[in-house]
mmCIF file of all heavy atoms in Angstrom:
data_model
loop_
_atom_site.group_PDB
_atom_site.id
_atom_site.type_symbol
_atom_site.label_atom_id
_atom_site.label_comp_id
_atom_site.label_asym_id
_atom_site.label_seq_id
_atom_site.Cartn_x
_atom_site.Cartn_y
_atom_site.Cartn_z
ATOM 1 N N VAL A 1 9.741 7.626 12.680
ATOM 2 C CA VAL A 1 9.565 6.148 12.365
ATOM 3 C C VAL A 1 10.378 5.429 13.294
ATOM 4 O O VAL A 1 11.568 5.784 13.480
ATOM 5 C CB VAL A 1 9.826 5.925 10.963
ATOM 6 C CG1 VAL A 1 9.902 4.412 10.601
ATOM 7 C CG2 VAL A 1 8.765 6.578 10.030
ATOM 8 N N GLN A 2 9.909 4.372 13.848
ATOM 9 C CA GLN A 2 10.726 3.384 14.663
ATOM 10 C C GLN A 2 10.529 2.066 14.040
ATOM 11 O O GLN A 2 9.470 1.595 13.727
ATOM 12 C CB GLN A 2 10.360 3.403 16.162
ATOM 13 C CG GLN A 2 10.726 4.712 16.844
ATOM 14 C CD GLN A 2 10.563 4.637 18.319
ATOM 15 O OE1 GLN A 2 9.614 4.035 18.803
ATOM 16 N NE2 GLN A 2 11.471 5.183 19.052
ATOM 17 N N LEU A 3 11.690 1.355 13.919
ATOM 18 C CA LEU A 3 11.729 -0.047 13.349
ATOM 19 C C LEU A 3 12.292 -0.980 14.451
ATOM 20 O O LEU A 3 13.322 -0.767 15.004
ATOM 21 C CB LEU A 3 12.486 -0.136 12.186
ATOM 22 C CG LEU A 3 12.149 0.799 10.990
ATOM 23 C CD1 LEU A 3 13.050 0.685 9.884
ATOM 24 C CD2 LEU A 3 10.737 0.525 10.472
ATOM 25 N N VAL A 4 11.518 -1.994 14.725
ATOM 26 C CA VAL A 4 11.990 -3.001 15.796
ATOM 27 C C VAL A 4 12.047 -4.353 15.173
ATOM 28 O O VAL A 4 10.920 -4.973 14.805
ATOM 29 C CB VAL A 4 11.041 -2.979 17.022
ATOM 30 C CG1 VAL A 4 11.584 -3.875 18.086
ATOM 31 C CG2 VAL A 4 11.078 -1.558 17.636
ATOM 32 N N GLU A 5 13.251 -4.988 15.161
ATOM 33 C CA GLU A 5 13.393 -6.261 14.615
ATOM 34 C C GLU A 5 13.209 -7.319 15.756
ATOM 35 O O GLU A 5 13.419 -7.109 16.885
ATOM 36 C CB GLU A 5 14.755 -6.537 14.036
ATOM 37 C CG GLU A 5 15.109 -5.621 12.868
ATOM 38 C CD GLU A 5 15.977 -4.440 13.314
ATOM 39 O OE1 GLU A 5 15.798 -4.072 14.496
ATOM 40 O OE2 GLU A 5 16.699 -3.875 12.556
ATOM 41 N N SER A 6 12.728 -8.499 15.390
ATOM 42 C CA SER A 6 12.703 -9.705 16.281
ATOM 43 C C SER A 6 12.732 -10.948 15.515
ATOM 44 O O SER A 6 12.589 -10.846 14.212
ATOM 45 C CB SER A 6 11.333 -9.578 17.073
ATOM 46 O OG SER A 6 10.301 -9.701 16.255
ATOM 47 N N GLY A 7 12.857 -12.038 16.208
ATOM 48 C CA GLY A 7 12.821 -13.241 15.508
ATOM 49 C C GLY A 7 14.142 -13.981 15.325
ATOM 50 O O GLY A 7 14.279 -15.107 14.831
ATOM 51 N N GLY A 8 15.277 -13.277 15.653
ATOM 52 C CA GLY A 8 16.526 -13.810 15.508
ATOM 53 C C GLY A 8 16.774 -15.039 16.597
ATOM 54 O O GLY A 8 15.891 -15.152 17.443
ATOM 55 N N GLY A 9 17.838 -15.707 16.440
ATOM 56 C CA GLY A 9 18.148 -16.795 17.320
ATOM 57 C C GLY A 9 19.196 -17.717 16.888
ATOM 58 O O GLY A 9 19.964 -17.391 15.877
ATOM 59 N N LEU A 10 19.387 -18.806 17.498
ATOM 60 C CA LEU A 10 20.355 -19.885 17.144
ATOM 61 C C LEU A 10 19.534 -21.014 16.462
ATOM 62 O O LEU A 10 18.553 -21.521 16.969
ATOM 63 C CB LEU A 10 20.985 -20.361 18.400
ATOM 64 C CG LEU A 10 22.000 -21.542 18.252
ATOM 65 C CD1 LEU A 10 23.126 -21.119 17.351
ATOM 66 C CD2 LEU A 10 22.507 -22.016 19.657
ATOM 67 N N VAL A 11 20.072 -21.360 15.305
ATOM 68 C CA VAL A 11 19.476 -22.464 14.536
ATOM 69 C C VAL A 11 20.526 -23.296 13.961
ATOM 70 O O VAL A 11 21.684 -22.740 13.562
ATOM 71 C CB VAL A 11 18.526 -21.893 13.514
ATOM 72 C CG1 VAL A 11 19.189 -20.993 12.474
ATOM 73 C CG2 VAL A 11 17.624 -22.941 12.843
ATOM 74 N N GLN A 12 20.244 -24.554 13.712
ATOM 75 C CA GLN A 12 21.227 -25.442 12.978
ATOM 76 C C GLN A 12 21.191 -25.220 11.519
ATOM 77 O O GLN A 12 20.180 -24.702 10.963
ATOM 78 C CB GLN A 12 20.914 -26.893 13.453
ATOM 79 C CG GLN A 12 21.233 -27.280 14.735
ATOM 80 C CD GLN A 12 21.067 -28.790 14.950
ATOM 81 O OE1 GLN A 12 20.280 -29.396 14.320
ATOM 82 N NE2 GLN A 12 21.927 -29.319 15.860
ATOM 83 N N ALA A 13 22.193 -25.470 10.851
ATOM 84 C CA ALA A 13 22.331 -25.405 9.392
ATOM 85 C C ALA A 13 21.259 -26.183 8.870
ATOM 86 O O ALA A 13 20.973 -27.367 9.270
ATOM 87 C CB ALA A 13 23.620 -25.848 8.940
ATOM 88 N N GLY A 14 20.596 -25.591 7.730
ATOM 89 C CA GLY A 14 19.356 -26.264 7.205
ATOM 90 C C GLY A 14 18.066 -25.879 7.722
ATOM 91 O O GLY A 14 17.038 -26.167 7.159
ATOM 92 N N GLY A 15 18.110 -25.223 8.919
ATOM 93 C CA GLY A 15 16.947 -24.917 9.557
ATOM 94 C C GLY A 15 16.370 -23.485 9.108
ATOM 95 O O GLY A 15 16.860 -22.940 8.019
ATOM 96 N N SER A 16 15.299 -23.001 9.734
ATOM 97 C CA SER A 16 14.593 -21.787 9.251
ATOM 98 C C SER A 16 14.364 -20.842 10.435
ATOM 99 O O SER A 16 14.304 -21.358 11.529
ATOM 100 C CB SER A 16 13.204 -22.164 8.663
ATOM 101 O OG SER A 16 13.377 -22.971 7.576
ATOM 102 N N LEU A 17 14.287 -19.567 10.015
ATOM 103 C CA LEU A 17 13.927 -18.589 10.993
ATOM 104 C C LEU A 17 13.013 -17.526 10.201
ATOM 105 O O LEU A 17 13.241 -17.385 9.017
ATOM 106 C CB LEU A 17 15.072 -17.850 11.488
ATOM 107 C CG LEU A 17 15.927 -18.468 12.636
ATOM 108 C CD1 LEU A 17 17.108 -17.647 12.979
ATOM 109 C CD2 LEU A 17 15.097 -18.577 13.894
ATOM 110 N N ARG A 18 12.150 -16.871 10.976
ATOM 111 C CA ARG A 18 11.435 -15.775 10.327
ATOM 112 C C ARG A 18 11.621 -14.527 11.130
ATOM 113 O O ARG A 18 11.332 -14.427 12.366
ATOM 114 C CB ARG A 18 9.936 -16.018 10.295
ATOM 115 C CG ARG A 18 9.174 -14.986 9.494
ATOM 116 C CD ARG A 18 7.727 -15.216 9.429
ATOM 117 N NE ARG A 18 6.991 -14.839 10.608
ATOM 118 C CZ ARG A 18 5.615 -14.643 10.683
ATOM 119 N NH1 ARG A 18 4.923 -14.622 9.496
ATOM 120 N NH2 ARG A 18 5.067 -14.373 11.760
ATOM 121 N N LEU A 19 12.167 -13.540 10.499
ATOM 122 C CA LEU A 19 12.477 -12.273 11.215
ATOM 123 C C LEU A 19 11.298 -11.333 10.895
ATOM 124 O O LEU A 19 10.704 -11.366 9.884
ATOM 125 C CB LEU A 19 13.773 -11.646 10.606
ATOM 126 C CG LEU A 19 15.012 -12.461 10.697
ATOM 127 C CD1 LEU A 19 16.303 -11.639 10.125
ATOM 128 C CD2 LEU A 19 15.308 -13.039 12.069
ATOM 129 N N SER A 20 11.045 -10.538 11.939
ATOM 130 C CA SER A 20 10.014 -9.538 11.804
ATOM 131 C C SER A 20 10.536 -8.093 12.020
ATOM 132 O O SER A 20 11.477 -7.954 12.830
ATOM 133 C CB SER A 20 8.950 -9.755 12.847
ATOM 134 O OG SER A 20 8.262 -11.002 12.660
ATOM 135 N N CYS A 21 9.980 -7.148 11.381
ATOM 136 C CA CYS A 21 10.355 -5.759 11.580
ATOM 137 C C CYS A 21 9.079 -4.963 11.726
ATOM 138 O O CYS A 21 8.337 -4.765 10.699
ATOM 139 C CB CYS A 21 11.165 -5.278 10.347
ATOM 140 S SG CYS A 21 11.469 -3.503 10.421
ATOM 141 N N ALA A 22 8.802 -4.555 12.957
ATOM 142 C CA ALA A 22 7.569 -3.937 13.292
ATOM 143 C C ALA A 22 7.806 -2.329 13.250
ATOM 144 O O ALA A 22 8.752 -1.915 13.841
ATOM 145 C CB ALA A 22 7.066 -4.330 14.575
ATOM 146 N N ALA A 23 6.974 -1.757 12.467
ATOM 147 C CA ALA A 23 7.191 -0.248 12.385
ATOM 148 C C ALA A 23 6.133 0.478 13.171
ATOM 149 O O ALA A 23 4.945 0.038 13.298
ATOM 150 C CB ALA A 23 6.981 0.143 10.853
ATOM 151 N N SER A 24 6.543 1.665 13.693
ATOM 152 C CA SER A 24 5.552 2.535 14.350
ATOM 153 C C SER A 24 5.877 3.933 13.991
ATOM 154 O O SER A 24 6.903 4.253 13.476
ATOM 155 C CB SER A 24 5.740 2.248 15.859
ATOM 156 O OG SER A 24 6.954 2.570 16.327
ATOM 157 N N GLY A 25 4.976 4.797 14.183
ATOM 158 C CA GLY A 25 5.035 6.207 13.946
ATOM 159 C C GLY A 25 4.561 6.661 12.565
ATOM 160 O O GLY A 25 4.363 7.879 12.281
ATOM 161 N N ARG A 26 4.413 5.698 11.643
ATOM 162 C CA ARG A 26 3.946 5.962 10.278
ATOM 163 C C ARG A 26 3.517 4.669 9.719
ATOM 164 O O ARG A 26 4.048 3.579 9.928
ATOM 165 C CB ARG A 26 4.999 6.621 9.482
ATOM 166 C CG ARG A 26 4.630 7.113 8.088
ATOM 167 C CD ARG A 26 5.812 7.640 7.431
ATOM 168 N NE ARG A 26 6.266 8.933 8.008
ATOM 169 C CZ ARG A 26 5.841 10.070 7.756
ATOM 170 N NH1 ARG A 26 4.858 10.280 6.809
ATOM 171 N NH2 ARG A 26 6.341 11.098 8.313
ATOM 172 N N ARG A 27 2.477 4.797 8.867
ATOM 173 C CA ARG A 27 2.058 3.634 8.062
ATOM 174 C C ARG A 27 3.122 3.437 6.971
ATOM 175 O O ARG A 27 3.428 4.379 6.219
ATOM 176 C CB ARG A 27 0.663 3.831 7.421
ATOM 177 C CG ARG A 27 -0.429 4.042 8.398
ATOM 178 C CD ARG A 27 -0.553 2.867 9.376
ATOM 179 N NE ARG A 27 -0.939 1.635 8.628
ATOM 180 C CZ ARG A 27 -0.973 0.490 9.296
ATOM 181 N NH1 ARG A 27 -0.878 0.367 10.594
ATOM 182 N NH2 ARG A 27 -1.382 -0.580 8.653
ATOM 183 N N MET A 28 3.597 2.201 6.895
ATOM 184 C CA MET A 28 4.764 1.996 5.963
ATOM 185 C C MET A 28 4.405 1.281 4.706
ATOM 186 O O MET A 28 5.350 1.000 3.849
ATOM 187 C CB MET A 28 5.878 1.098 6.714
ATOM 188 C CG MET A 28 6.303 1.749 7.966
ATOM 189 S SD MET A 28 7.115 3.334 7.827
ATOM 190 C CE MET A 28 8.634 2.747 6.929
ATOM 191 N N SER A 29 3.165 1.100 4.365
ATOM 192 C CA SER A 29 2.857 0.318 3.260
ATOM 193 C C SER A 29 3.276 0.880 1.828
ATOM 194 O O SER A 29 3.500 0.233 0.888
ATOM 195 C CB SER A 29 1.269 0.166 3.119
ATOM 196 O OG SER A 29 0.658 1.489 3.040
ATOM 197 N N ASN A 30 3.466 2.264 1.881
ATOM 198 C CA ASN A 30 3.924 2.918 0.556
ATOM 199 C C ASN A 30 5.465 3.305 0.645
ATOM 200 O O ASN A 30 5.990 3.974 -0.198
ATOM 201 C CB ASN A 30 3.120 4.102 0.291
ATOM 202 C CG ASN A 30 1.707 3.751 -0.147
ATOM 203 O OD1 ASN A 30 1.569 2.831 -0.887
ATOM 204 N ND2 ASN A 30 0.741 4.471 0.290
ATOM 205 N N TYR A 31 6.146 2.777 1.743
ATOM 206 C CA TYR A 31 7.532 3.077 1.836
ATOM 207 C C TYR A 31 8.300 1.700 1.433
ATOM 208 O O TYR A 31 7.797 0.672 1.722
ATOM 209 C CB TYR A 31 7.879 3.344 3.288
ATOM 210 C CG TYR A 31 7.610 4.630 3.706
ATOM 211 C CD1 TYR A 31 6.369 5.191 3.590
ATOM 212 C CD2 TYR A 31 8.634 5.542 4.244
ATOM 213 C CE1 TYR A 31 6.076 6.485 4.095
ATOM 214 C CE2 TYR A 31 8.306 6.789 4.753
ATOM 215 C CZ TYR A 31 7.073 7.279 4.612
ATOM 216 O OH TYR A 31 6.824 8.554 5.048
ATOM 217 N N ALA A 32 9.476 1.903 0.698
ATOM 218 C CA ALA A 32 10.293 0.834 0.434
ATOM 219 C C ALA A 32 10.987 0.370 1.651
ATOM 220 O O ALA A 32 11.495 1.233 2.502
ATOM 221 C CB ALA A 32 11.324 1.212 -0.582
ATOM 222 N N MET A 33 11.096 -0.938 1.987
ATOM 223 C CA MET A 33 11.827 -1.446 3.084
ATOM 224 C C MET A 33 12.672 -2.679 2.714
ATOM 225 O O MET A 33 12.417 -3.295 1.772
ATOM 226 C CB MET A 33 10.749 -1.923 4.095
ATOM 227 C CG MET A 33 9.796 -0.779 4.630
ATOM 228 S SD MET A 33 8.610 -1.336 5.874
ATOM 229 C CE MET A 33 9.727 -1.607 7.264
ATOM 230 N N GLY A 34 13.623 -2.803 3.530
ATOM 231 C CA GLY A 34 14.593 -3.899 3.193
ATOM 232 C C GLY A 34 15.295 -4.495 4.424
ATOM 233 O O GLY A 34 15.141 -3.957 5.506
ATOM 234 N N TRP A 35 16.071 -5.550 4.171
ATOM 235 C CA TRP A 35 16.845 -6.190 5.167
ATOM 236 C C TRP A 35 18.335 -6.071 4.701
ATOM 237 O O TRP A 35 18.702 -6.322 3.613
ATOM 238 C CB TRP A 35 16.448 -7.675 5.390
ATOM 239 C CG TRP A 35 15.165 -7.843 5.941
ATOM 240 C CD1 TRP A 35 13.874 -8.005 5.361
ATOM 241 C CD2 TRP A 35 14.875 -7.851 7.341
ATOM 242 N NE1 TRP A 35 12.949 -8.172 6.248
ATOM 243 C CE2 TRP A 35 13.502 -8.091 7.524
ATOM 244 C CE3 TRP A 35 15.648 -7.775 8.518
ATOM 245 C CZ2 TRP A 35 12.864 -8.156 8.776
ATOM 246 C CZ3 TRP A 35 14.978 -7.888 9.764
ATOM 247 C CH2 TRP A 35 13.622 -8.056 9.920
ATOM 248 N N PHE A 36 19.158 -5.790 5.746
ATOM 249 C CA PHE A 36 20.574 -5.867 5.557
ATOM 250 C C PHE A 36 21.116 -6.809 6.705
ATOM 251 O O PHE A 36 20.478 -7.051 7.639
ATOM 252 C CB PHE A 36 21.176 -4.453 5.768
ATOM 253 C CG PHE A 36 20.876 -3.526 4.602
ATOM 254 C CD1 PHE A 36 19.701 -2.973 4.446
ATOM 255 C CD2 PHE A 36 21.949 -3.260 3.629
ATOM 256 C CE1 PHE A 36 19.409 -2.025 3.385
ATOM 257 C CE2 PHE A 36 21.701 -2.452 2.605
ATOM 258 C CZ PHE A 36 20.416 -1.860 2.426
ATOM 259 N N ARG A 37 22.378 -7.143 6.549
ATOM 260 C CA ARG A 37 23.022 -7.984 7.594
ATOM 261 C C ARG A 37 24.446 -7.576 7.660
ATOM 262 O O ARG A 37 25.105 -7.181 6.647
ATOM 263 C CB ARG A 37 22.904 -9.485 7.321
ATOM 264 C CG ARG A 37 23.578 -9.917 6.103
ATOM 265 C CD ARG A 37 23.284 -11.447 5.858
ATOM 266 N NE ARG A 37 24.034 -12.025 4.817
ATOM 267 C CZ ARG A 37 23.875 -13.208 4.265
ATOM 268 N NH1 ARG A 37 22.958 -14.064 4.789
ATOM 269 N NH2 ARG A 37 24.600 -13.691 3.317
ATOM 270 N N GLN A 38 25.036 -7.805 8.822
ATOM 271 C CA GLN A 38 26.431 -7.533 9.118
ATOM 272 C C GLN A 38 27.039 -8.635 9.950
ATOM 273 O O GLN A 38 26.615 -8.806 11.123
ATOM 274 C CB GLN A 38 26.573 -6.138 9.796
ATOM 275 C CG GLN A 38 28.061 -5.635 9.892
ATOM 276 C CD GLN A 38 28.169 -4.248 10.247
ATOM 277 O OE1 GLN A 38 27.175 -3.615 10.703
ATOM 278 N NE2 GLN A 38 29.318 -3.623 9.984
#
């Protein structure tokens, strides 16, 4: 399984972003997935 994030960037307070995590190597519909930050 490979996971590739995209969609990050610089935004002003109050703004919005949509992050994506594209998976390959396996269908992930039955896998639990999540987001963390550091």
Side-chain angles (χ1 to χ4, degrees):
V1 172
Q2 290 189 321
L3 304 175
V4 179
E5 301 96 332
S6 61
L10 174 64
V11 64
Q12 288 188 329
S16 298
L17 283 174
R18 188 178 78 159
L19 305 183
S20 299
C21 174
S24 62
R26 186 181 292 272
R27 300 301 300 176
M28 301 299 288
S29 60
N30 288 320
Y31 282 55
M33 299 183 71
W35 290 95
F36 289 77
R37 68 186 183 186
Q38 188 167 17

